[in-house]
Amino acid sequence: MGLRAPRGTEDLLTEKYEQWIYLQHKAAEIFSRYGYTFIETPLFEQVDVFVHGIGESTDVVSKEMFRVLSPDAYRKVSEGEASKLKHDQKLALRPEGTASVVRAALEHNLIPQGSAPIKLMYAGQMFRAERQQRGRLRQFHQIGAECLGAPDAMADAEVIIMLMEFFEAIGLEPASLRLLINTLGDDECRPNYREMVKQYILDHADLLDEDCVRYAHTNPLRAFDSKNETCQKVMANAPLMKDYLCEDCRKHYEELRGYLDRAGVMYEEDQKLVRGLDYYTRTVFEVQVLDGLGAQNAIGGGGRYDKLIEISGGKPTPALGFAVGMERILLALEDQGKLPEFPRGNEIYVAFPDPAHKAKVFELVSTLRSHKFSVQTDYQERSLKSQLKLANKQNARFVIIVGEEELKEQSVTVKDMRSACDERIKIDELVNYLEQQA
């Protein structure tokens, strides 16, 4: 068997790559109106960036994170000396974007005390060692936005509205989407709630799977995120955060709903929505496709993470953001018949029946390209008939024929493939002629 792409990855061939670029451009177009600018972080970071940010108990860190070893680090690990690795030798491919953006913001002092919030957007590859399935790859692509330094619920609403505007702009019908929101409280009220959920899990341990019982001792709220149907039924009767919210968190959540109502954004409250990462506090949200993606129907989501910057070594700083997955978005667009299409075709194909004229053709092609025309020509000494077939296949607007008779007159024959009309044009007038046809 020949060489193949690693399992859980895919090559972005021309059409899909153009779709990825299209999504990035749409995100930049919309997010920039809200004050966001681009940032790009390394594909790999120190492991501690994700352990501190995402949480050691999460599946992302404990089961799915790809570790990266330099030759020296690999030698130490293979010789049983992993304990001798320094912190900067313990690396991992980034499984998500938020922790990396926060690390970069701290390293470059992008959020000095008292400054206005910093708004950053990113687009790039992420890596998780998950079981491959439709819309879920081991190397996947995300677009995200992070707002660092804004505590007000108005910022939460703005981020959600921006996300929904993006989905509509790329062609997803609003009626085909479901926006779920919830609040997870903060350090004032969540500890007591976590203990209530923990006790509930332990009281029903005989009905839950091993992972849910383990969550009781690591992060009880993760049990709400279980994909096990039996666990879901048991957790449906677990205590709800809304009954334990402190006054500040209750007010923040009420303000968020008020802003969304004012903006006319449709949403559903889901008291079981917790998201998958440890760093979330207060607001969490998720956007799902109603039909077409099966159980893996989430195409984006995020929330507030007011503790993450402090955990990562900075001063206490409120923050929030979201990420969307390219692969699932494209599947959703495909299901709705809304995949963006990018008709391809060269403006000009230069054909020549006699290989002896290649030097003159090369000169002509170079001149046309220098005037910003998209040009192709023959490299295989095909017959003129074959070249014309190829030009048609490539959707060329014009075919320029360079033949013996034309060259004697210092001219070329220009064939308009739309009208099928031919014209003899002087070579020194060709660029001007083509520019007038544009």
Short mmCIF file of all heavy atoms in Angstrom, two decimals, residues 378-422:
data_model
loop_
_atom_site.label_atom_id
_atom_site.label_comp_id
_atom_site.label_asym_id
_atom_site.label_seq_id
_atom_site.Cartn_x
_atom_site.Cartn_y
_atom_site.Cartn_z
N ASP A 378 0.43 25.55 -23.21
CA ASP A 378 0.77 24.13 -23.39
C ASP A 378 2.23 23.88 -23.03
O ASP A 378 3.11 24.67 -23.38
CB ASP A 378 0.52 23.72 -24.85
CG ASP A 378 0.92 22.28 -25.11
OD1 ASP A 378 0.40 21.39 -24.40
OD2 ASP A 378 1.76 22.04 -26.00
N TYR A 379 2.47 22.77 -22.32
CA TYR A 379 3.83 22.39 -21.96
C TYR A 379 4.20 21.00 -22.49
O TYR A 379 5.25 20.47 -22.15
CB TYR A 379 3.98 22.38 -20.42
CG TYR A 379 3.61 23.69 -19.76
CD1 TYR A 379 2.36 23.85 -19.18
CD2 TYR A 379 4.50 24.75 -19.73
CE1 TYR A 379 2.01 25.06 -18.57
CE2 TYR A 379 4.15 25.96 -19.12
CZ TYR A 379 2.90 26.10 -18.55
OH TYR A 379 2.56 27.30 -17.95
N GLN A 380 3.32 20.42 -23.29
CA GLN A 380 3.53 19.02 -23.70
C GLN A 380 3.51 18.81 -25.21
O GLN A 380 3.38 17.68 -25.67
CB GLN A 380 2.43 18.14 -23.04
CG GLN A 380 2.51 18.17 -21.53
CD GLN A 380 1.28 17.54 -20.88
OE1 GLN A 380 0.18 18.06 -21.00
NE2 GLN A 380 1.50 16.42 -20.22
N GLU A 381 3.61 19.90 -25.97
CA GLU A 381 3.63 19.85 -27.43
C GLU A 381 2.42 19.07 -27.98
O GLU A 381 2.53 18.20 -28.85
CB GLU A 381 4.94 19.24 -27.95
CG GLU A 381 6.16 20.06 -27.55
CD GLU A 381 7.45 19.59 -28.21
OE1 GLU A 381 7.40 18.62 -28.98
OE2 GLU A 381 8.50 20.21 -27.94
N ARG A 382 1.25 19.39 -27.47
CA ARG A 382 0.01 18.78 -27.94
C ARG A 382 -0.39 19.39 -29.28
O ARG A 382 0.07 20.48 -29.65
CB ARG A 382 -1.13 19.00 -26.94
CG ARG A 382 -0.82 18.56 -25.53
CD ARG A 382 -1.95 18.93 -24.62
NE ARG A 382 -1.55 18.78 -23.22
CZ ARG A 382 -2.37 18.41 -22.26
NH1 ARG A 382 -3.62 18.15 -22.53
NH2 ARG A 382 -1.93 18.30 -21.02
N SER A 383 -1.32 18.72 -29.94
CA SER A 383 -1.86 19.28 -31.18
C SER A 383 -2.73 20.49 -30.85
O SER A 383 -3.18 20.65 -29.72
CB SER A 383 -2.71 18.23 -31.91
OG SER A 383 -3.88 17.94 -31.15
N LEU A 384 -2.95 21.35 -31.84
CA LEU A 384 -3.79 22.52 -31.62
C LEU A 384 -5.18 22.11 -31.19
O LEU A 384 -5.78 22.73 -30.30
CB LEU A 384 -3.86 23.37 -32.90
CG LEU A 384 -4.69 24.64 -32.79
CD1 LEU A 384 -4.15 25.56 -31.71
CD2 LEU A 384 -4.75 25.36 -34.14
N LYS A 385 -5.72 21.05 -31.76
CA LYS A 385 -7.04 20.57 -31.39
C LYS A 385 -7.09 20.18 -29.92
O LYS A 385 -8.04 20.52 -29.19
CB LYS A 385 -7.43 19.38 -32.27
CG LYS A 385 -8.82 18.85 -32.00
CD LYS A 385 -9.15 17.68 -32.93
CE LYS A 385 -10.55 17.14 -32.66
NZ LYS A 385 -10.87 16.00 -33.56
N SER A 386 -6.04 19.49 -29.44
CA SER A 386 -5.99 19.08 -28.03
C SER A 386 -5.87 20.28 -27.11
O SER A 386 -6.46 20.32 -26.03
CB SER A 386 -4.82 18.12 -27.80
OG SER A 386 -5.00 16.92 -28.51
N GLN A 387 -5.08 21.28 -27.56
CA GLN A 387 -4.93 22.48 -26.74
C GLN A 387 -6.26 23.23 -26.60
O GLN A 387 -6.59 23.73 -25.52
CB GLN A 387 -3.87 23.41 -27.36
CG GLN A 387 -2.45 22.85 -27.27
CD GLN A 387 -1.44 23.80 -27.88
OE1 GLN A 387 -1.35 24.96 -27.46
NE2 GLN A 387 -0.68 23.33 -28.85
N LEU A 388 -7.02 23.30 -27.70
CA LEU A 388 -8.32 23.97 -27.64
C LEU A 388 -9.28 23.23 -26.72
O LEU A 388 -10.07 23.85 -25.99
CB LEU A 388 -8.90 24.10 -29.04
CG LEU A 388 -8.13 25.03 -30.00
CD1 LEU A 388 -8.74 25.00 -31.39
CD2 LEU A 388 -8.09 26.44 -29.45
N LYS A 389 -9.23 21.90 -26.75
CA LYS A 389 -10.07 21.11 -25.83
C LYS A 389 -9.70 21.40 -24.38
O LYS A 389 -10.56 21.54 -23.51
CB LYS A 389 -9.92 19.62 -26.13
CG LYS A 389 -10.65 19.14 -27.36
CD LYS A 389 -10.50 17.63 -27.50
CE LYS A 389 -11.29 17.12 -28.71
NZ LYS A 389 -11.14 15.64 -28.87
N LEU A 390 -8.39 21.48 -24.12
CA LEU A 390 -7.93 21.75 -22.76
C LEU A 390 -8.35 23.15 -22.31
O LEU A 390 -8.78 23.35 -21.16
CB LEU A 390 -6.41 21.61 -22.68
CG LEU A 390 -5.78 21.83 -21.30
CD1 LEU A 390 -6.34 20.84 -20.28
CD2 LEU A 390 -4.26 21.70 -21.38
N ALA A 391 -8.25 24.12 -23.18
CA ALA A 391 -8.67 25.49 -22.86
C ALA A 391 -10.14 25.52 -22.49
O ALA A 391 -10.56 26.21 -21.55
CB ALA A 391 -8.39 26.41 -24.04
N ASN A 392 -10.94 24.78 -23.23
CA ASN A 392 -12.38 24.71 -22.94
C ASN A 392 -12.63 24.05 -21.59
O ASN A 392 -13.48 24.48 -20.81
CB ASN A 392 -13.09 23.96 -24.06
CG ASN A 392 -14.60 24.05 -23.93
OD1 ASN A 392 -15.17 25.14 -23.90
ND2 ASN A 392 -15.25 22.90 -23.86
N LYS A 393 -11.88 22.99 -21.32
CA LYS A 393 -12.02 22.28 -20.05
C LYS A 393 -11.64 23.17 -18.87
O LYS A 393 -12.21 23.07 -17.78
CB LYS A 393 -11.15 21.02 -20.06
CG LYS A 393 -11.30 20.14 -18.86
CD LYS A 393 -10.46 18.88 -18.99
CE LYS A 393 -10.61 17.97 -17.78
NZ LYS A 393 -9.78 16.74 -17.90
N GLN A 394 -10.68 24.06 -19.08
CA GLN A 394 -10.22 24.96 -18.02
C GLN A 394 -11.07 26.24 -17.93
O GLN A 394 -10.75 27.14 -17.17
CB GLN A 394 -8.75 25.34 -18.26
CG GLN A 394 -7.79 24.18 -18.08
CD GLN A 394 -6.34 24.59 -18.29
OE1 GLN A 394 -6.05 25.70 -18.73
NE2 GLN A 394 -5.43 23.69 -17.95
N ASN A 395 -12.15 26.29 -18.73
CA ASN A 395 -13.06 27.43 -18.70
C ASN A 395 -12.37 28.75 -19.04
O ASN A 395 -12.67 29.79 -18.45
CB ASN A 395 -13.75 27.55 -17.34
CG ASN A 395 -14.61 26.36 -17.00
OD1 ASN A 395 -15.34 25.87 -17.86
ND2 ASN A 395 -14.49 25.87 -15.78
N ALA A 396 -11.45 28.69 -19.98
CA ALA A 396 -10.77 29.91 -20.40
C ALA A 396 -11.76 30.86 -21.08
O ALA A 396 -12.60 30.43 -21.87
CB ALA A 396 -9.62 29.58 -21.34
N ARG A 397 -11.66 32.13 -20.76
CA ARG A 397 -12.52 33.13 -21.42
C ARG A 397 -12.04 33.39 -22.84
O ARG A 397 -12.84 33.49 -23.78
CB ARG A 397 -12.50 34.43 -20.59
CG ARG A 397 -13.10 35.63 -21.33
CD ARG A 397 -14.61 35.57 -21.42
NE ARG A 397 -15.12 36.52 -22.41
CZ ARG A 397 -15.27 37.83 -22.20
NH1 ARG A 397 -14.91 38.36 -21.04
NH2 ARG A 397 -15.75 38.61 -23.14
N PHE A 398 -10.72 33.50 -23.00
CA PHE A 398 -10.15 33.73 -24.32
C PHE A 398 -9.09 32.69 -24.64
O PHE A 398 -8.35 32.26 -23.75
CB PHE A 398 -9.47 35.11 -24.39
CG PHE A 398 -10.40 36.27 -24.16
CD1 PHE A 398 -10.45 36.91 -22.94
CD2 PHE A 398 -11.22 36.72 -25.19
CE1 PHE A 398 -11.30 37.97 -22.73
CE2 PHE A 398 -12.08 37.79 -24.99
CZ PHE A 398 -12.12 38.42 -23.76
N VAL A 399 -9.02 32.30 -25.90
CA VAL A 399 -7.91 31.50 -26.40
C VAL A 399 -7.15 32.36 -27.40
O VAL A 399 -7.74 32.90 -28.35
CB VAL A 399 -8.39 30.20 -27.08
CG1 VAL A 399 -7.20 29.47 -27.71
CG2 VAL A 399 -9.06 29.30 -26.06
N ILE A 400 -5.86 32.49 -27.16
CA ILE A 400 -5.00 33.25 -28.07
C ILE A 400 -4.17 32.25 -28.86
O ILE A 400 -3.42 31.45 -28.29
CB ILE A 400 -4.09 34.21 -27.29
CG1 ILE A 400 -4.94 35.24 -26.55
CG2 ILE A 400 -3.08 34.88 -28.22
CD1 ILE A 400 -4.14 36.16 -25.65
N ILE A 401 -4.34 32.28 -30.18
CA ILE A 401 -3.64 31.33 -31.04
C ILE A 401 -2.44 32.02 -31.68
O ILE A 401 -2.58 33.08 -32.31
CB ILE A 401 -4.58 30.77 -32.12
CG1 ILE A 401 -5.77 30.06 -31.45
CG2 ILE A 401 -3.83 29.81 -33.05
CD1 ILE A 401 -6.83 29.60 -32.41
N VAL A 402 -1.29 31.42 -31.47
CA VAL A 402 -0.04 31.95 -32.03
C VAL A 402 0.43 30.98 -33.11
O VAL A 402 0.98 29.91 -32.81
CB VAL A 402 1.04 32.11 -30.94
CG1 VAL A 402 2.33 32.68 -31.55
CG2 VAL A 402 0.53 32.98 -29.80
N GLY A 403 0.17 31.33 -34.37
CA GLY A 403 0.54 30.46 -35.48
C GLY A 403 1.51 31.14 -36.42
O GLY A 403 1.86 32.31 -36.29
N GLU A 404 1.95 30.36 -37.41
CA GLU A 404 2.92 30.87 -38.38
C GLU A 404 2.38 32.11 -39.09
O GLU A 404 3.06 33.13 -39.22
CB GLU A 404 3.23 29.79 -39.41
CG GLU A 404 4.32 30.16 -40.40
CD GLU A 404 5.70 30.16 -39.76
OE1 GLU A 404 5.94 29.34 -38.85
OE2 GLU A 404 6.53 31.00 -40.17
N GLU A 405 1.14 32.02 -39.54
CA GLU A 405 0.54 33.12 -40.29
C GLU A 405 0.41 34.36 -39.41
O GLU A 405 0.67 35.49 -39.86
CB GLU A 405 -0.83 32.69 -40.82
CG GLU A 405 -1.51 33.72 -41.71
CD GLU A 405 -2.84 33.24 -42.23
OE1 GLU A 405 -3.07 32.01 -42.28
OE2 GLU A 405 -3.67 34.10 -42.57
N GLU A 406 -0.01 34.16 -38.16
CA GLU A 406 -0.17 35.29 -37.25
C GLU A 406 1.18 35.98 -37.00
O GLU A 406 1.27 37.22 -37.04
CB GLU A 406 -0.75 34.83 -35.91
CG GLU A 406 -2.24 34.51 -35.93
CD GLU A 406 -2.51 33.07 -36.32
OE1 GLU A 406 -1.55 32.35 -36.69
OE2 GLU A 406 -3.68 32.65 -36.23
N LEU A 407 2.20 35.19 -36.76
CA LEU A 407 3.49 35.78 -36.42
C LEU A 407 4.08 36.59 -37.57
O LEU A 407 4.80 37.57 -37.35
CB LEU A 407 4.46 34.70 -35.97
CG LEU A 407 4.16 34.08 -34.58
CD1 LEU A 407 5.15 32.99 -34.25
CD2 LEU A 407 4.19 35.16 -33.50
N LYS A 408 3.80 36.16 -38.78
CA LYS A 408 4.28 36.91 -39.94
C LYS A 408 3.72 38.33 -39.93
O LYS A 408 4.34 39.26 -40.42
CB LYS A 408 3.88 36.21 -41.23
CG LYS A 408 4.71 34.96 -41.54
CD LYS A 408 4.25 34.33 -42.84
CE LYS A 408 5.06 33.06 -43.14
NZ LYS A 408 4.59 32.40 -44.40
N GLU A 409 2.51 38.48 -39.38
CA GLU A 409 1.85 39.78 -39.33
C GLU A 409 2.02 40.47 -37.97
O GLU A 409 1.37 41.47 -37.70
CB GLU A 409 0.36 39.62 -39.64
CG GLU A 409 0.06 39.03 -41.00
CD GLU A 409 -1.43 38.82 -41.21
OE1 GLU A 409 -2.22 39.18 -40.29
OE2 GLU A 409 -1.79 38.31 -42.27
N GLN A 410 2.88 39.88 -37.11
CA GLN A 410 3.06 40.41 -35.75
C GLN A 410 1.71 40.54 -35.03
O GLN A 410 1.41 41.54 -34.38
CB GLN A 410 3.75 41.77 -35.79
CG GLN A 410 5.21 41.70 -36.20
CD GLN A 410 6.06 40.94 -35.20
OE1 GLN A 410 6.12 41.31 -34.03
NE2 GLN A 410 6.68 39.85 -35.64
N SER A 411 0.90 39.48 -35.16
CA SER A 411 -0.44 39.47 -34.57
C SER A 411 -0.75 38.10 -33.98
O SER A 411 0.07 37.16 -34.06
CB SER A 411 -1.49 39.84 -35.63
OG SER A 411 -1.52 38.86 -36.64
N VAL A 412 -1.92 38.00 -33.37
CA VAL A 412 -2.41 36.73 -32.83
C VAL A 412 -3.90 36.66 -33.14
O VAL A 412 -4.55 37.68 -33.42
CB VAL A 412 -2.20 36.61 -31.31
CG1 VAL A 412 -0.73 36.54 -30.96
CG2 VAL A 412 -2.89 37.75 -30.57
N THR A 413 -4.44 35.46 -33.09
CA THR A 413 -5.89 35.29 -33.22
C THR A 413 -6.48 35.14 -31.81
O THR A 413 -6.04 34.28 -31.05
CB THR A 413 -6.23 34.05 -34.06
OG1 THR A 413 -5.74 34.25 -35.39
CG2 THR A 413 -7.73 33.83 -34.11
N VAL A 414 -7.44 35.99 -31.49
CA VAL A 414 -8.09 35.93 -30.18
C VAL A 414 -9.49 35.34 -30.36
O VAL A 414 -10.32 35.90 -31.08
CB VAL A 414 -8.19 37.32 -29.53
CG1 VAL A 414 -8.89 37.21 -28.17
CG2 VAL A 414 -6.81 37.93 -29.37
N LYS A 415 -9.72 34.21 -29.70
CA LYS A 415 -11.02 33.53 -29.79
C LYS A 415 -11.77 33.76 -28.50
O LYS A 415 -11.31 33.36 -27.41
CB LYS A 415 -10.81 32.04 -30.04
CG LYS A 415 -12.10 31.26 -30.27
CD LYS A 415 -11.77 29.79 -30.54
CE LYS A 415 -13.02 28.98 -30.86
NZ LYS A 415 -13.64 29.41 -32.13
N ASP A 416 -12.92 34.43 -28.56
CA ASP A 416 -13.78 34.64 -27.39
C ASP A 416 -14.61 33.38 -27.20
O ASP A 416 -15.47 33.05 -28.02
CB ASP A 416 -14.68 35.85 -27.62
CG ASP A 416 -15.47 36.23 -26.37
OD1 ASP A 416 -15.84 35.32 -25.61
OD2 ASP A 416 -15.70 37.43 -26.17
N MET A 417 -14.37 32.65 -26.11
CA MET A 417 -15.02 31.35 -25.90
C MET A 417 -16.50 31.51 -25.55
O MET A 417 -17.25 30.55 -25.61
CB MET A 417 -14.29 30.58 -24.80
CG MET A 417 -12.83 30.31 -25.11
SD MET A 417 -12.61 29.28 -26.59
CE MET A 417 -12.92 27.64 -25.89
N ARG A 418 -16.92 32.71 -25.16
CA ARG A 418 -18.34 32.92 -24.87
C ARG A 418 -19.14 33.12 -26.16
O ARG A 418 -20.21 32.55 -26.33
CB ARG A 418 -18.52 34.13 -23.94
CG ARG A 418 -17.96 33.93 -22.54
CD ARG A 418 -18.16 35.18 -21.71
NE ARG A 418 -17.54 35.05 -20.39
CZ ARG A 418 -17.45 36.05 -19.50
NH1 ARG A 418 -17.95 37.24 -19.82
NH2 ARG A 418 -16.87 35.86 -18.34
N SER A 419 -18.60 33.96 -27.04
CA SER A 419 -19.32 34.27 -28.28
C SER A 419 -18.87 33.43 -29.46
O SER A 419 -19.52 33.43 -30.51
CB SER A 419 -19.14 35.75 -28.62
OG SER A 419 -17.76 36.02 -28.91
N ALA A 420 -17.75 32.71 -29.30
CA ALA A 420 -17.16 31.91 -30.38
C ALA A 420 -16.70 32.76 -31.55
O ALA A 420 -16.53 32.27 -32.66
CB ALA A 420 -18.14 30.84 -30.86
N CYS A 421 -16.48 34.06 -31.32
CA CYS A 421 -15.99 34.96 -32.37
C CYS A 421 -14.47 35.03 -32.35
O CYS A 421 -13.85 34.99 -31.28
CB CYS A 421 -16.56 36.36 -32.18
SG CYS A 421 -18.36 36.43 -32.41
N ASP A 422 -13.87 35.14 -33.54
CA ASP A 422 -12.42 35.26 -33.68
C ASP A 422 -12.08 36.67 -34.14
O ASP A 422 -12.80 37.27 -34.95
CB ASP A 422 -11.87 34.27 -34.69
CG ASP A 422 -12.07 32.83 -34.22
OD1 ASP A 422 -12.44 32.65 -33.06
OD2 ASP A 422 -11.84 31.91 -35.02
#
